[in-house]
Amino acid sequence: MERRQWLSLAVKLLTLVAGSALAQPIDPPSEPMLRINAFGHIAKINTIATDANERFAVTASDDKTVRVWSLPGGKLQRTIWLPSGNGDQGKAYAVALSPDGATIAVGGWTGSVGDGNIYLFDRASGALLLRLTNLPGVVHHLAFSSDGRRLATALGGANGIRVFDAGSRYRPLPSDGDYGDTSDWVDFDRGGRLASASLDGFVRLYSPDHYDKPAIPKTRIKGIDRPYSVAFSPDGRHIAVGDTDSSTVAILRDSNLMSELFPTVSDFDDTVLSVAWSKDGQYLIAGGYNPIEPDRLARRWDTVGSHNFVDITGAHDAKMQFIPLGDNRVLFADAAGFGLVDSGGKANRLQDSGKIDFRGASTTLRISRDARTVQVQDYLADHHVFRFDLARRAVAVDPTQSAALAEATSKSIGIEPTDWRNSLSPKVNGVRLVLGEDEISRSVALVPGTDRFVLGADWSVRLFDAQGQQIWSREVPGAVWGVNVTTDGKLIVAAYNDGTIRWLRVSDGEELLALFMGPDGQRWVAWTPQGYYDASAGADDLIGWQVNHGYDQAPDFFSVSQFEQRFNRRDIIARVLDMLDVDSAVEAADEAAGKPAAKGVPLTTSLLTPVVEIKDPAAVSEQTSRELSLSYVARMTTSDPILRMEGFVDGVPVKFQDVELLKQDDKRAGNLRLTMPLHDAKISIIAYNANGPSQPASVQVLWRGPGREDKVTLYVLAIGITRYRAAGLPVVRFPAKDAHDFITLAKAEEGGLLYGKVVLYPKHASLEDADATRDAILDGLDWIQHAVANSNDVAIVFLSGHGINTPDQHYRFLPYDYDPDRIERTTITDAELQQFITKIGGKTLFFFDTCFSGNVLAGKGPDTKPNVDKFANELRAAKNGVVVFASSTGDELSLEPPGLSNGAFTKAVVDGMRGAAARSGSSVISISDLESYVSRTVHDLTNGNQHPMTAKPKTIEDYWIASVAQ
Amino acid sequence: MERVSPDDAIVAQPSSGRMWLSRRSLVVSGALICVANLSRPAGSAAVDSAPSLSDAVGVLARERSAAEQYAVILATVGRKDIDVYVRGIQLYADAKAEFDGLIAQLRVDLIEGRNPTRSSKFATALEAAAKSRIAFTNFVSDQVVGKIEGAKPGLIDVVKVVPDLVKAITDAGLAIWEAFAKADKERRDAVLSEVDHLRWRAFADLAPKPEN
């Protein structure tokens, strides 16, 4: 969010808080709400915190989540969903982590108006431990004292600070509320003194345990009208102060709060949102918002007052917070991500935004005539262009220009919106448009053939006429950076701040469809407001349902993939823009699939699955005994009892003993005993009720006992069909050779670093062409299902040939002997493949190089293109545990580029597994190594026309699958 | 979940209501009272003089023993409130993981010929272990035993302050290091084996089996 927006929000908060004296607390909505679950934050990061041992970073964001990351690696460990509703409710502005790393304090717009909350979460489990209630203002900042005994907060409005005694279950201590404006920052020194910064112009200093009155008179700082940030020097003798409105940084004496030094700020135009000292006091670092040089992360002054400084680059947006770490490093958060600055002043980003930034969409959002294709440019990340084609179900990154895509028309004869770009007072034909208070307009598009236009703003999208009369207004989850309208004037396409593209009906603003594309340009998910969705392989976890339980319990989050049987409906998504109505699309799709027609109904709480957590062992623990005891708690979310548990080791189902320890109300505590393998393993459990499986709960257990696994056995079934008995299929050249080459590759692994034996079916060969009949393929699948006896062994199924999708949205593979007149009887269904592959008793990989089979079902249904994404997502579900490498996504063809003697996908897979995918110096190749290599190699081989996909279950960690050929 | 309001400054009580000891719990607690009377505070051996190797190992063994006995109390008398019960399991698991990590770090330092008390990794692991052990035992003391009305099960006297526990284990680590540094290979293997056996047991291995 830009600074102006940020200040606007502050004003909005003040207005609301001021009028809230009589407001009643309002619980967050109880019905399931769709939320985006990207890997990183999808809105501004406001603050970051770490523990004394610098093991974790915790970030708080406007996206209503708090995320826990490991340090120094920056790996996501946990996402905590906050109780939230629409609008601002749930936005996290402040976070603090107790010095021992055990407790996360979170505040922000975390309650109802006039009844602010601070939540205290257990960092390890994500459990909500405690809620501090009735705060009179929004929480702007939080800080633990260095001994962990005190928690202080700075409050919005003229509400001052509050301090809590963490040692007595966060008992509130007498605290100073005598402020004239919002306070934005609090900081403890090592001795427990507290400093605060307030927009009322004063810096205040409090003695330890006397937080109700400043220790010395509050002080205005020369050159700083509105102090925003404060930081004690490590020795406590100085306090650095940053200004809201200028680049001034002042250093005060702690004894009298008088300005002592002003570090050089020439050419430093940041407003100073954060100041920090290095741990040894040698450096002072500051940064904030600078629209001129957004890349500059911070200025770092050497030895205070010497005016020697370096400017550090590497920022992606407004700099929100700096935290000193050991070895003179600094942890930083900007609005888009976070990272570390090393002692030499070099910034290393650990995480970036989880979304594509649409801030430039008022000029870059382009659409096709029917709005099935949309294109937008990323405001950050090298300004990549992303184009999504709903008909092809694929994303293209930096595609060639297309004249078929048009940007919005923003003026014509008789209708001329003006002053609308980032403006509080947009106009049309000179008439000022009425928006919400302090609402800024961001984008405009005329509706062709009418006197109307669409206006996107910070909190709404609206339709106006040429006289400035509003026709309708719809609330939106964030700023609408771009809008466009189809040439027939029926559909609006809007680019929202949360990284989504939305299709709205022009007539009434009703939302029909939403799209989220991952910044990787590969994964995407599209959904209707009711939750019907279509997703690329590995993308069905990008959205899910949040279910609130009031303010006193952490919300649950259910990925949409848990309800895929009901809601994974490519057929509905494909129709909804034609029908301009979701209910009609559902009815039409049901009718085409031969199902009873129904209305579009969203998820309700009665359809929820259980929630399960592992309590013992801890998230990462060591084990020396083969018998692993695992304590869990499962919570029923409906009246359905929990029917059964399942246990997994590295994604492979294992036998276990389940003993119920305790059952009360809707919870059950139990104990699973299973056999620990002789290696580090990811242990997962899933609870089932009548609605389906829970999300898996997992722990990483490190084997520290005696013995190690012997080399494992690799089982391979490779099938490739180039020639079919029936005529009429599109010609492909290499599937049989692809299978043959894959087998050759596999055989070379025998006796290598990873595999003691390699076992093939049939012996020494692949199943090719005339040998690959339906019966032979099923025999092969049956063989590999039963042959793998050890859960550590690896099974690979390689499948290359033609496939189709039937009208009921199921994939069918065409064996050599398929009969086009008897499709149901002579093809192999996704259910059959799944039945065998998911029952393999070892780690399972499925390489899936399927080609579109042309109009095999001519006249029998509209959706015959093979939907490998849906099938891949089903296989990689936690309960199934299969790693899927698919040759392409959506309706893309698997290509055989000239000059190659394999399909592009197989070429990349074989080369990669032979060693090209290995990291420098490594002699083994992991799943992620291969994924990365195949992705970029296929892109290069096909000029970006084919996008292989990898889908990995949550129940497995990365593991080695091949060794570098000697 | 509890709530604290700055306006009324009232700390709400958990919703578990009145808690009564079952007959079986009293039997268990009686046994623990006996154990408590026989035990000295974990780490107390380190207070007056440098501990011997067996004393040093004993400090860590008593930490394990004390934590496991608190876990037994949780598993028996803590069953009235499932939220308290599972929270206790979680805290035990956290403490176990930290202590097991500490033991592992101690082994690494010994094997690599490094005085653990001069190892920053050992110091970090020790701090985390001490805090998490005290968090667990305090939780059982306050939220399980403290909420019982009437006769309470006895609790083993344990070190309740992080710096004291850190000092006790640091002293123990130093004693183990000194003994290890002087020992021959056979003795070193024995010391490593002893250290290895200081890992805590899983909660489920301590919890009594359900009666039905």
Side-chain angles (χ1 to χ4, degrees):
Chain A
M1 185 185 288
E2 291 180 6
R3 175 164 176 71
R4 184 160 52 165
Q5 284 181 274
W6 195 87
L7 292 173
S8 165
L9 179 62
V11 172
K12 186 183 169 201
L13 297 181
L14 283 172
T15 307
L16 288 170
V17 170
S20 67
L22 300 177
Q24 295 298 311
I26 302 167
D27 273 348
S30 58
E31 284 305 306
M33 297 181 299
L34 277 169
R35 292 273 192 246
I36 296 162
N37 181 33
F39 185 75
H41 286 293
I42 57 161
K44 180 172 65 104
I45 295 175
N46 290 303
T47 44
I48 189 166
T50 187
D51 59 308
N53 289 331
E54 303 167 6
R55 295 197 294 178
F56 310 101
V58 185
T59 47
S61 167
D62 278 353
D63 68 8
K64 307 178 183 182
T65 69
V66 169
R67 292 172 196 242
V68 182
W69 315 82
S70 63
L71 284 180
K75 185 178 178 189
L76 180 65
Q77 293 196 325
R78 177 177 296 282
T79 299
I80 296 173
W81 300 85
L82 301 179
S84 62
N86 294 323
D88 291 319
Q89 189 185 32
K91 287 182 176 176
Y93 299 155
V95 69
L97 183 59
S98 60
D100 62 4
T103 306
I104 300 168
V106 184
W109 195 290
T110 42
S112 51
V113 173
D115 181 24
N117 292 320
I118 295 171
Y119 299 116
L120 294 157
F121 289 96
D122 178 50
R123 194 262 316 150
S125 67
L128 180 52
L129 303 173
L130 196 65
R131 177 162 69 102
L132 313 180
T133 64
N134 290 341
L135 294 165
V138 171
V139 174
H140 279 205
H141 197 250
L142 285 161
F144 274 103
S145 59
S146 60
D147 59 6
R149 292 172 56 240
R150 300 286 180 260
L151 173 68
T153 178
L155 297 175
N159 292 299
I161 61 165
R162 295 293 184 276
V163 183
F164 300 86
D165 179 359
S168 343
R169 306 193 65 71
Y170 293 88
R171 176 176 57 90
L173 299 172
S175 303
D176 188 0
D178 183 19
Y179 279 59
D181 205 335
T182 287
S183 52
D184 283 308
W185 210 281
V186 281
D187 190 42
F188 284 101
D189 74 356
R190 287 177 184 166
R193 291 185 303 170
L194 182 70
S196 72
S198 170
L199 300 185
D200 67 5
F202 292 103
V203 170
R204 294 166 172 86
L205 178 65
Y206 302 89
S207 299
D209 291 341
H210 294 88
Y211 305 112
D212 54 341
K213 190 177 174 188
I216 56 178
K218 62 187 180 184
T219 305
R220 287 190 185 277
I221 314 300
K222 180 185 166 190
I224 295 183
D225 291 335
R226 302 209 303 160
Y228 185 89
S229 49
V230 286
F232 276 105
S233 61
D235 62 7
R237 294 171 58 192
H238 294 95
I239 300 169
V241 183
D243 188 18
T244 308
D245 296 328
S246 75
S247 58
T248 307
V249 176
I251 296 172
L252 317 181
R253 263 276 171 203
D254 70 320
S255 54
N256 55 13
L257 294 182
M258 299 306 290
S259 305
E260 192 167 83
L261 294 165
F262 290 93
T264 303
V265 291
S266 57
D267 302 321
F268 178 62
D269 298 320
D270 285 30
T271 55
V272 184
L273 299 181
S274 180
V275 288
W277 304 73
S278 62
K279 276 203 164 172
D280 64 1
Q282 188 182 351
Y283 302 118
L284 178 68
I285 192 165
Y289 181 66
N290 181 347
I292 311 298
E293 293 183 84
D295 181 47
R296 182 165 59 200
L297 180 68
R299 175 161 292 185
R300 193 184 76 175
W301 293 270
D302 295 342
T303 57
V304 175
S306 74
H307 303 297
N308 294 326
F309 62 84
V310 292
D311 284 337
I312 300 166
T313 58
H316 283 181
D317 217 314
K319 284 69 70 178
M320 307 310 294
Q321 191 163 4
F322 301 102
I323 298 177
L325 302 181
D327 301 327
N328 277 344
R329 294 167 305 143
V330 173
L331 177 67
F332 71 88
D334 58 25
F338 70 94
L340 294 167
V341 178
D342 66 20
S343 58
K346 185 171 185 302
N348 173 30
R349 299 189 70 82
L350 298 176
Q351 280 299 329
D352 275 321
S353 175
K355 66 171 182 182
I356 302 167
D357 192 322
F358 290 156
R359 272 180 290 177
S362 66
T363 55
T364 67
L365 177 63
R366 293 165 179 261
I367 64 173
S368 59
R369 289 175 62 86
D370 59 3
R372 267 61 171 179
T373 303
V374 296
Q375 176 178 300
V376 69
Q377 187 172 23
D378 196 345
Y379 185 76
L380 298 173
D382 300 327
H383 305 291
H384 287 301
V385 172
F386 293 81
R387 183 185 296 168
F388 178 74
D389 185 336
L390 183 62
R392 291 184 60 223
R393 304 174 62 257
V395 179
V397 181
D398 296 330
T400 52
Q401 286 193 354
S402 169
L405 302 178
E407 63 184 58
T409 304
S410 59
K411 65 179 180 182
S412 71
I413 296 170
I415 176 166
E416 185 173 3
T418 55
D419 303 322
W420 54 265
R421 200 180 298 277
N422 303 325
S423 164
L424 286 163
S425 52
K427 301 179 185 72
V428 61
N429 298 338
V431 177
R432 182 168 176 172
L433 302 170
V434 178
L435 303 182
E437 189 175 353
D438 303 313
E439 188 174 26
I440 299 172
S441 64
R442 303 291 185 179
S443 50
V444 156
L446 303 190
V447 180
T450 73
D451 71 341
R452 296 177 172 184
F453 66 98
V454 182
L455 184 140
D458 276 356
W459 306 311
S460 63
V461 58
R462 299 163 191 256
L463 185 71
F464 289 97
D465 65 18
Q467 289 72 49
Q469 291 296 311
Q470 181 178 296
I471 312 300
W472 52 253
S473 171
R474 292 276 176 173
E475 189 179 341
V476 295
V480 181
W481 295 113
V483 285
N484 207 326
V485 182
T486 51
T487 50
D488 64 5
K490 291 182 177 174
L491 276 171
I492 299 165
V493 180
Y496 287 6
N497 188 54
D498 62 1
T500 60
I501 302 280
R502 312 261 178 161
W503 285 259
L504 314 177
R505 204 160 51 199
V506 169
S507 59
D508 58 2
E510 181 79 16
E511 183 177 315
L512 300 172
L513 189 64
L515 168 74
F516 183 83
M517 296 179 281
D520 63 1
Q522 297 193 345
R523 289 171 171 78
W524 59 268
V525 57
W527 68 96
T528 71
Q530 295 81 356
Y532 296 108
Y533 72 93
D534 186 12
S536 64
D540 56 354
D541 286 333
L542 282 175
I543 58 168
W545 297 92
Q546 175 175 335
V547 180
N548 293 308
H549 304 288
Y551 289 117
D552 287 330
Q553 191 179 330
D556 291 318
F557 185 82
F558 303 86
S559 166
V560 290
S561 63
Q562 290 175 256
F563 313 101
E564 61 94 13
Q565 296 271 10
R566 186 184 182 99
F567 288 102
N568 187 345
R569 294 294 300 269
R570 171 190 173 189
D571 51 350
I572 293 173
I573 301 302
R575 286 173 170 85
V576 69
L577 298 185
D578 288 327
M579 313 292 288
L580 291 174
D581 179 65
V582 179
D583 280 343
S584 303
V586 173
E587 286 178 33
D590 282 347
E591 188 179 342
K595 298 177 182 175
K599 299 280 185 192
V601 178
L603 187 76
T604 60
T605 51
S606 65
L607 296 173
L608 297 178
T609 57
V611 174
V612 66
E613 295 172 68
I614 295 173
K615 293 296 179 181
D616 179 26
V620 179
S621 59
E622 299 181 346
Q623 180 77 9
T624 56
S625 159
R626 293 300 302 275
E627 185 178 89
L628 176 64
S629 295
L630 185 151
S631 297
Y632 69 87
V633 60
R635 182 158 44 83
M636 284 76 84
T637 48
T638 68
S639 56
D640 282 327
I642 293 168
L643 297 177
R644 63 189 168 92
M645 302 291 297
E646 282 187 358
F648 302 84
V649 174
D650 291 330
V652 180
V654 292
K655 290 180 181 168
F656 58 87
Q657 184 188 7
D658 183 15
V659 177
E660 185 177 278
L661 295 175
L662 188 58
K663 190 173 183 180
Q664 275 178 11
D665 304 324
D666 61 346
K667 297 192 183 88
R668 161 182 156 177
N671 169 241
L672 289 188
R673 286 173 191 273
L674 47 87
T675 302
M676 178 73 193
L678 294 171
H679 58 77
D680 300 347
K682 187 169 188 175
I683 311 294
S684 306
I685 58 173
I686 290 176
Y688 284 79
N689 69 1
N691 291 329
S694 68
Q695 293 267 36
S698 301
V699 289
Q700 185 73 19
V701 183
L702 310 176
W703 175 244
R704 294 292 180 266
R708 289 287 178 273
E709 297 287 358
D710 293 332
K711 285 182 186 174
V712 300
T713 301
L714 172 64
Y715 297 85
V716 184
L717 168 66
I719 300 156
I721 308 172
T722 302
R723 287 184 290 275
Y724 284 80
R725 189 164 67 189
L729 286 172
V731 173
V732 287
R733 295 180 295 162
F734 297 127
K737 182 172 184 303
D738 288 348
H740 180 85
D741 289 353
F742 194 86
I743 286 292
T744 305
L745 167 80
K747 281 195 278 195
E749 288 285 335
E750 185 162 72
L753 286 173
L754 301 180
Y755 304 108
K757 276 174 61 182
V758 174
V759 183
L760 310 175
Y761 180 93
K763 270 188 179 177
H764 313 300
S766 51
L767 213 48
E768 298 169 19
D769 290 342
D771 292 333
T773 62
R774 176 182 150 81
D775 283 348
I777 293 171
L778 293 176
D779 282 347
L781 290 166
D782 182 64
W783 166 81
I784 202 164
Q785 180 198 325
H786 290 97
V788 181
N790 185 337
S791 63
N792 299 313
D793 289 340
V794 176
I796 296 180
V797 176
F798 181 94
L799 192 62
S800 182
H802 284 293
I804 58 168
N805 238 38
T806 51
D808 59 353
Q809 297 303 297
H810 286 284
Y811 174 80
R812 286 174 179 268
F813 182 75
L814 306 187
Y816 168 77
D817 55 345
Y818 96 96
D819 180 346
D821 296 322
R822 299 167 64 224
I823 290 288
E824 286 79 4
R825 177 66 185 83
T826 60
T827 56
I828 297 175
T829 67
D830 50 5
E832 285 173 310
L833 289 167
Q834 192 170 325
Q835 179 188 340
F836 288 106
I837 293 170
T838 61
K839 289 198 173 71
I840 295 171
K843 297 173 182 172
T844 305
L845 297 111
F846 184 41
F847 290 85
F848 192 32
D849 194 348
T850 190
C851 321
F852 175 42
S853 309
N855 200 11
V856 174
L857 296 183
K860 298 176 186 172
D863 302 313
T864 60
K865 291 182 178 179
N867 185 356
V868 297
D869 294 317
K870 182 171 187 287
F871 184 37
N873 283 332
E874 287 169 357
L875 288 173
R876 75 101 185 207
K879 62 182 180 181
N880 293 327
V882 178
V883 178
V884 180
F885 284 86
S887 59
S888 59
T889 185
D891 297 339
E892 287 176 350
L893 300 177
S894 291
L895 300 174
E896 298 178 334
L900 296 185
S901 54
N902 289 108
F905 173 71
T906 301
K907 169 74 175 162
V909 167
V910 170
D911 287 353
M913 291 179 71
R914 277 204 182 108
R919 295 179 197 192
S920 175
S922 176
S923 52
V924 288
I925 296 118
S926 69
I927 294 169
S928 60
D929 293 335
L930 186 64
E931 175 185 10
S932 171
Y933 178 80
V934 170
S935 174
R936 62 176 185 268
T937 304
V938 171
H939 181 275
D940 292 347
L941 290 174
T942 64
N943 295 321
N945 288 314
Q946 182 179 332
H947 297 85
M949 300 297 300
T950 305
K952 199 177 77 169
K954 289 179 181 172
T955 46
I956 68 160
E957 290 290 298
D958 203 11
Y959 60 84
W960 295 331
I961 53 175
S963 54
V964 177
Q966 298 301 310
Chain B
M1 234 296 301
E2 299 173 54
R3 293 197 292 170
V4 175
S5 160
D7 284 355
D8 50 22
I10 290 173
V11 179
Q13 299 298 312
S15 58
S16 54
R18 291 158 66 92
M19 301 177 72
W20 298 95
L21 279 177
S22 68
R23 187 174 169 191
R24 183 173 170 206
S25 303
L26 284 169
V27 172
V28 172
S29 61
L32 290 173
I33 290 167
C34 296
V35 173
N37 290 337
L38 293 173
S39 300
R40 53 184 166 164
S44 62
V47 173
D48 297 323
S49 59
S52 67
L53 175 63
S54 60
D55 283 344
V57 172
V59 169
L60 292 166
R62 276 192 295 279
E63 277 304 311
R64 180 187 65 181
S65 172
E68 290 181 352
Q69 289 175 32
Y70 273 68
V72 170
I73 291 198
L74 172 68
T76 50
V77 300
R79 296 167 58 86
K80 296 289 182 185
D81 182 332
I82 195 167
D83 291 331
V84 169
Y85 184 71
V86 298
R87 174 78 184 134
I89 295 173
Q90 174 98 50
L91 289 171
Y92 177 81
D94 291 345
K96 169 179 156 46
E98 298 290 4
F99 254 88
D100 287 353
L102 178 70
I103 300 299
Q105 186 58 47
L106 176 60
R107 286 187 94 254
V108 168
D109 286 340
L110 293 176
I111 291 168
E112 294 181 356
R114 195 168 45 233
N115 180 346
T117 61
R118 292 183 189 164
S119 151
S120 61
K121 286 184 178 173
F122 183 81
T124 301
L126 174 53
E127 182 86 8
K131 284 177 176 168
S132 56
R133 200 283 277 153
I134 286 171
F136 169 64
T137 50
N138 282 354
F139 179 83
V140 173
S141 176
D142 297 346
Q143 298 298 309
V144 178
V145 176
K147 298 284 170 67
I148 295 172
E149 296 181 4
K152 298 177 190 293
L155 288 171
I156 296 172
D157 191 10
V158 293
V159 177
K160 294 192 170 101
V161 186
V162 171
D164 290 355
L165 187 52
V166 167
K167 179 176 187 321
I169 296 176
T170 302
D171 290 346
L174 181 59
I176 292 171
W177 159 248
E178 286 174 347
F180 188 84
K182 290 178 201 161
D184 58 18
K185 182 178 183 314
E186 193 176 335
R187 180 63 183 140
R188 286 186 172 198
D189 289 345
V191 171
L192 289 175
S193 177
E194 275 191 78
V195 168
D196 217 23
H197 283 90
L198 295 170
R199 293 171 195 271
W200 297 11
R201 285 184 286 174
F203 179 83
D205 295 335
L206 303 164
K209 298 285 183 292
E211 289 168 350
N212 50 357

